[in-house]
Amino acid sequence: MSRRVRRKCAKGAQKLDLSNQPETEDADYLKLNEDGLVDWTRLPDDNVIQLFTYLNYRDRANLSSTCKGWRSLGSSPCLWKTLDLRAHKCDWSIMSSLAARCTNLEKLKFRGADNADSLISLKAKNVREISGDYCRKLSDSTLAIIVARHKLLEVLQLGPDFCERITSDVIVAIGICCPKLRKLRLSGIRDINKDAINALATHCPDLSEIGFIDCLKIDEMALGNVVSLRFLSVAGSTNVKWGLAAEFWSKLINLKGIDVSRTDVFPGAVMRLFSSIKGFKVLCALNCPSLEEDTTVYTKSSCHGKMMLSSFRDTFKELSPMFPDTKNDRDIFSDWRAKSEKRDADLDEFMTWLEWILSHSLFRIAESNPHGLDQFWLTQGADLLLNLLQSNQEDVQERAATGLATFVVVDDENTNVDVGRAEAVMKGGGIQLLLGLARSWKEGLQTEATKAIANLSVNPAFAKSVAAGGGIEILANLARSLNRMVAEEAAGGLWNLSVGEEHKGAIAEAGGIKALVDLIFKWPRGGGGDGVLERAAGALANLAADDKCSIEVANVGGINALVTLARKCKHEGVQEQAARALANLAAHGDSNTNNAAVGLEVGALEALVLLIRSSHDGVRQEAAGALWNLSFDDRNREGIALAGGVEALGDIQWGDGLDRALGEEEVVMGEGVVVTSSSLEILTNNYLGGIMVSLIFLEGLDEEALVEVMVE
């Protein structure tokens, strides 16, 4: 009888030898000192500042602490014009310590209401742009204080998740406090009334873009008063009275583009907007069912010279008249970005807005995954997302990467990837683009690009291409990140790649096993760390199925790490993967000593016995498999018995689980169940088989005695 391998289904100073290097006047500072070491503090200030620009904020702070000179350079205002706090939990004291460096801060990103509360401590009065996400708990009072302290604000963006506690009252405050406001993008507001919109119209004369996205109610008439508007998005907003909207929005003589994606806009409203606004250029109407029922709306004469972007028309061809010199329609975005001379300010403004609303709508559509859009994704959706990955706007790149990660998965529960969609990403050069973003120093891009790589790697062909493109080394490096979100997605990518037998050795060679084990010790159990731990344990479980990799797991402290999870972590997903990993480590008893090593690890057997009593089916299954494999060693059998393993296994409630396992082989006799020896092969394919065989070993029973154990 063989052991079972539990597999995941489908699823300081450095010495340098510069003796042979040519010396130049510019490189004098790289000469070795008396100890034969490079004195990096002799680098020119400009070079040091340039070096700082390639580091994330945490690494900048660490490097600044090395000496007085670099501390001063690390505080240079040019390094602190932007600040991304999304990956950090910043309280008032941390914000206060950053305040001295952020006097010239212009762009600020935050995540969650807690960080928003402490933004005031930055005292960054020159901020021009504030962007926040996960703002469901952000209150009117907090937002009102933020805008009151940043009166030079030009761009305010909250989303894409819903701002459930934001009301029209604070929008009035935004209008009054921020007279220089140019762009306002808010998601998920329940009611935006006329007072709020009129305050914006009265006090913000330069307001050129409004995005009221996924809102429940918007005053259509009042929006007609914001005459400065050039771009408007009401994508996903419900309860819009389109008759009134068409009547009053047609008075917006400066309007160039409207985004009505994911709404119930009807053809008559579209025709009125097209015919009434002379300078109107484009209507973005992706996933609008009413328009898709009447696809002739665009062909009517009043639409001449205007564009409608929809799922039933080729977006690239629609935009191509704006780029007459572009030979390939698919190149219009890249050609526009490449033009460094004779730039058209109006075109730049238009394309910048278009990239933003397309990235948002495509992400939302991918998230809901409506029926009937398979052809759209294959013919243009994937190409649009790949083009947006190359945007100069960081938030557009992030959302495009998230969109790619989302639209390829057609079954969230089982993480099934649509082969056609994955192939469309590969054909469009998506692997190289995503790996390039994953190499970025910007942690937001790292997170979203790695998420897309991880999801797409469920597809074997994509996983092979990722490995060939150096993706395993990139993921192994990102798994060492101090940013939890980056580390979590990188561990997920290694988990999916480790399903393929051909990638296990490469992961080990790239240092991925050590990085995964270190993750278990680095991140806390409970709270936000459970996602990292589950993915790290899952990847180690897959890797432990390989004999050579299992030895590496043990050598770098993996047994202790996994036993620690099994003993102390309460998250069922983590418990399941830790037990599976221990089962796989113990499955190579004939070729290495891991079986005995697992049994000798303090608390290992006791932890697995406890997991046998779990209410979670998967945890019980993997714990039973681990005990089965461990029971091949005499010392382990004794240890399992002493830990109460016999009682725990005997207390399992068989019931329907046994019925499912046996099928037609079941023979009922009174209140007991007789299992013929031919049924053992069926039993060994599920966790009940693991429990049965464990009992046989522990009690020294033969197959015929199995019935007596089960009856007991």
Side-chain angles (χ1 to χ4, degrees), residues 259-495:
D259 180 17
V260 297
S261 299
R262 302 181 291 114
T263 68
D264 58 356
V265 63
F266 56 83
V270 172
M271 296 303 300
R272 180 158 188 175
L273 291 171
F274 275 161
S275 61
S276 302
I277 308 175
K278 184 177 180 181
F280 191 74
K281 286 185 177 180
V282 64
L283 179 96
C284 186
L286 297 174
N287 194 30
C288 293
S290 296
L291 296 184
E292 292 169 8
E293 292 175 1
D294 182 9
T295 58
T296 64
V297 61
Y298 181 78
T299 62
K300 299 177 182 179
S301 59
S302 58
C303 301
H304 181 70
K306 299 176 175 62
M307 298 171 285
M308 184 168 73
L309 310 183
S310 64
S311 55
F312 55 85
R313 300 189 66 84
D314 190 319
T315 299
F316 295 97
K317 288 184 178 179
E318 290 295 310
L319 296 172
S320 61
M322 301 178 65
F323 303 90
D325 297 331
T326 299
K327 296 180 180 179
N328 188 337
D329 294 340
R330 284 329 196 237
D331 296 333
I332 56 176
F333 287 94
S334 57
D335 284 357
W336 162 64
R337 298 186 198 107
K339 290 182 179 179
S340 57
E341 299 178 358
K342 299 180 180 180
R343 298 199 68 95
D344 185 331
D346 287 339
L347 180 61
D348 286 351
E349 182 186 33
F350 171 79
M351 292 297 291
T352 299
W353 173 78
L354 187 63
E355 282 190 337
W356 193 89
I357 59 107
L358 282 175
S359 68
H360 194 107
S361 289
L362 290 171
F363 162 65
R364 282 299 194 200
I365 294 169
E367 193 174 43
S368 60
N369 194 26
H371 295 291
L373 288 183
D374 286 344
Q375 192 63 23
F376 164 76
W377 288 120
L378 295 177
T379 57
Q380 59 173 312
D383 283 343
L384 283 170
L385 288 171
L386 292 173
N387 271 277
L388 295 173
L389 278 182
Q390 304 167 69
S391 172
N392 295 325
Q393 303 179 73
E394 185 178 339
D395 55 344
V396 169
Q397 290 180 299
E398 289 182 16
R399 201 162 292 122
T402 310
L404 284 172
T406 306
F407 99 104
V408 295
V409 178
V410 293
D411 182 355
D412 288 333
E413 185 175 349
N414 299 309
T415 320
N416 288 335
V417 168
D418 185 279
V419 175
R421 296 181 183 184
E423 289 179 350
V425 175
M426 292 177 62
K427 290 178 181 178
I431 295 175
Q432 293 76 14
L433 291 173
L434 289 169
L435 291 176
L437 291 182
R439 293 187 185 98
S440 169
W441 67 268
K442 298 178 180 179
E443 293 176 331
L445 291 177
Q446 290 178 351
T447 301
E448 302 308 326
T450 306
K451 181 187 298 181
I453 293 169
N455 284 4
L456 285 158
S457 293
V458 174
N459 178 282
F462 194 95
K464 184 177 181 179
S465 297
V466 167
I472 289 177
E473 291 81 1
I474 293 173
L475 292 174
N477 286 330
L478 292 177
R480 302 182 181 95
S481 174
L482 296 177
N483 183 317
R484 180 186 60 79
M485 295 181 293
V486 175
E488 182 173 331
E489 298 302 341
L494 292 174
W495 187 3

Side-chain angles (χ1 to χ4, degrees), residues 15 32-37:
K15 291 192 176 183
L32 304 181
N33 61 18
E34 295 178 354
D35 297 325
L37 304 174

Side-chain angles (χ1 to χ4, degrees), residues 660-675:
R660 290 193 300 271
L662 296 177
E664 296 179 356
E665 299 291 332
E666 174 187 302
V667 180
V668 179
M669 296 181 62
E671 295 182 356
V673 178
V674 172
V675 186

Side-chain angles (χ1 to χ4, degrees), residues 412-698:
D412 288 333
E413 185 175 349
N414 299 309
T415 320
N416 288 335
V417 168
D418 185 279
V419 175
R421 296 181 183 184
E423 289 179 350
V425 175
M426 292 177 62
K427 290 178 181 178
I431 295 175
Q432 293 76 14
L433 291 173
L434 289 169
L435 291 176
L437 291 182
R439 293 187 185 98
S440 169
W441 67 268
K442 298 178 180 179
E443 293 176 331
L445 291 177
Q446 290 178 351
T447 301
E448 302 308 326
T450 306
K451 181 187 298 181
I453 293 169
N455 284 4
L456 285 158
S457 293
V458 174
N459 178 282
F462 194 95
K464 184 177 181 179
S465 297
V466 167
I472 289 177
E473 291 81 1
I474 293 173
L475 292 174
N477 286 330
L478 292 177
R480 302 182 181 95
S481 174
L482 296 177
N483 183 317
R484 180 186 60 79
M485 295 181 293
V486 175
E488 182 173 331
E489 298 302 341
L494 292 174
W495 187 3
N496 288 340
L497 284 168
S498 63
V499 172
E501 296 296 327
E502 67 273 25
H503 304 313
K504 289 181 170 65
I507 293 173
E509 291 176 5
I513 293 177
K514 178 69 163 59
L516 290 165
V517 171
D518 289 345
L519 278 179
I520 294 175
F521 294 113
K522 184 185 299 182
W523 296 104
R525 295 174 294 276
D530 288 335
V532 182
L533 299 177
E534 181 178 6
R535 297 180 187 200
L540 289 173
N542 287 349
L543 292 163
D546 178 84
D547 185 26
K548 292 182 179 179
C549 289
S550 72
I551 297 173
E552 177 70 11
V553 172
N555 289 340
V556 297
I559 293 176
N560 176 257
L562 293 164
V563 170
T564 300
L565 291 182
R567 290 176 56 199
K568 298 183 178 181
C569 189
K570 303 302 180 184
H571 187 273
E572 291 172 340
V574 178
Q575 292 176 338
E576 179 179 350
Q577 297 308 323
R580 185 168 69 90
L582 291 171
N584 284 352
L585 285 170
H588 305 285
D590 297 333
S591 56
N592 60 54
T593 60
N594 285 349
N595 189 304
V598 172
L600 292 173
E601 185 68 33
V602 176
L605 300 179
E606 292 82 357
L608 290 169
V609 169
L610 285 176
L611 294 183
I612 283 291
R613 300 183 185 276
S614 171
S615 60
H616 187 272
D617 186 73
V619 175
R620 293 198 306 273
Q621 175 180 354
E622 302 303 345
L627 289 176
W628 178 7
N629 288 346
L630 288 167
S631 64
F632 278 78
D633 186 280
D634 292 340
R635 291 167 295 179
N636 289 341
R637 290 203 293 273
E638 182 179 352
I640 295 171
L642 291 174
V646 176
E647 294 83 356
L649 291 165
D651 287 344
I652 293 293
Q653 299 297 315
W654 311 116
D656 294 337
L658 185 61
D659 296 341
R660 290 193 300 271
L662 296 177
E664 296 179 356
E665 299 291 332
E666 174 187 302
V667 180
V668 179
M669 296 181 62
E671 295 182 356
V673 178
V674 172
V675 186
T676 63
S677 58
S678 63
S679 301
L680 287 174
E681 182 177 356
I682 300 174
L683 279 168
T684 54
N685 291 325
N686 58 80
Y687 80 96
L688 293 173
I691 295 169
M692 290 293 96
V693 177
S694 297
L695 281 168
I696 291 172
F697 273 103
L698 292 171

